[in-house]
Amino acid sequence: MTATAPSVYHIPGGRREHPVLLPLVWDGKNLRRGRGGGVVRVVSPLWIQQGEARYPLRQGETLVGRCRYCTIVIEAPDVSRQHAALVLEADVLEIHDLGSLNGTLVNGERVYGVRRLEPDDEIEIGGEVLRVVHMDLGAAWADRTLEHTLPV
């Protein structure tokens, strides 16, 4: 069974989110760019949820902070420009506090240096709560929860 995606997505590209138009189709196994198009690769089933938005995590570093060049931007005065880094290597996700003055909390405990993250962990930065979520792409497509962010 194929389903056609809504037309506008916010896709992390580089270090900013850009609204783009994509004809995406779920073929029951893979998310594809249009009929017969290439498979959209999802590196990890671990995503970050910030309010209604969801951010896919790719191998390497995802910056979180106040700076507009961060992938996940938190606009609050007590958030550092580059506050923390989410680092994904293989299937291991860690958070690195980048020396922020106000700190980073995971499940209510302050992070000093590096801490491993698991699904359902809550990260608090400057009063904003981010949650590590495990995404089942097929199920998410079926119930249309991929309307906020998708990897390309």
Side-chain angles (χ1 to χ4, degrees):
M1 177 178 114
T2 61
T4 303
S7 59
V8 177
Y9 292 90
H10 292 284
I11 299 177
R15 294 183 176 215
R16 291 180 56 170
E17 278 193 29
H18 302 282
V20 297
L21 295 175
L22 289 177
L24 297 174
V25 176
W26 175 253
D27 68 8
K29 182 177 178 188
N30 294 300
L31 192 60
R32 297 188 175 277
R33 291 183 184 97
R35 296 191 189 281
V39 174
V40 176
R41 300 281 179 211
V42 177
V43 175
S44 172
L46 297 176
W47 290 38
I48 296 296
Q49 183 167 343
Q50 177 188 22
E52 293 297 315
R54 291 190 177 112
Y55 299 90
L57 296 174
R58 298 184 179 140
Q59 295 294 320
E61 185 177 83
T62 300
L63 290 176
V64 181
R66 193 179 72 236
C67 179
R68 68 184 179 111
Y69 297 107
C70 291
T71 302
I72 301 174
V73 177
I74 301 173
E75 295 177 4
D78 52 347
V79 175
S80 299
R81 284 178 293 206
Q82 293 184 357
H83 196 98
L86 298 162
V87 179
L88 181 65
E89 292 185 13
D91 289 330
V92 176
L93 178 61
E94 297 175 332
I95 188 163
H96 298 238
D97 183 88
L98 300 177
S100 64
L101 292 177
N102 295 309
T104 301
L105 303 176
V106 174
N107 299 328
E109 297 177 13
R110 185 158 181 167
V111 174
Y112 295 97
V114 179
R115 178 172 172 163
R116 186 172 177 160
L117 296 171
E118 301 292 336
D120 298 322
D121 279 349
E122 290 190 348
I123 304 161
E124 186 175 342
I125 297 176
E128 182 78 23
V129 176
L130 310 175
R131 194 164 65 90
V132 179
V133 295
H134 185 274
M135 292 289 288
D136 174 352
L137 188 57
W141 183 262
D143 71 10
R144 303 184 67 81
T145 58
L146 290 179
E147 295 184 16
H148 297 288
T149 57
L150 281 174
V152 290

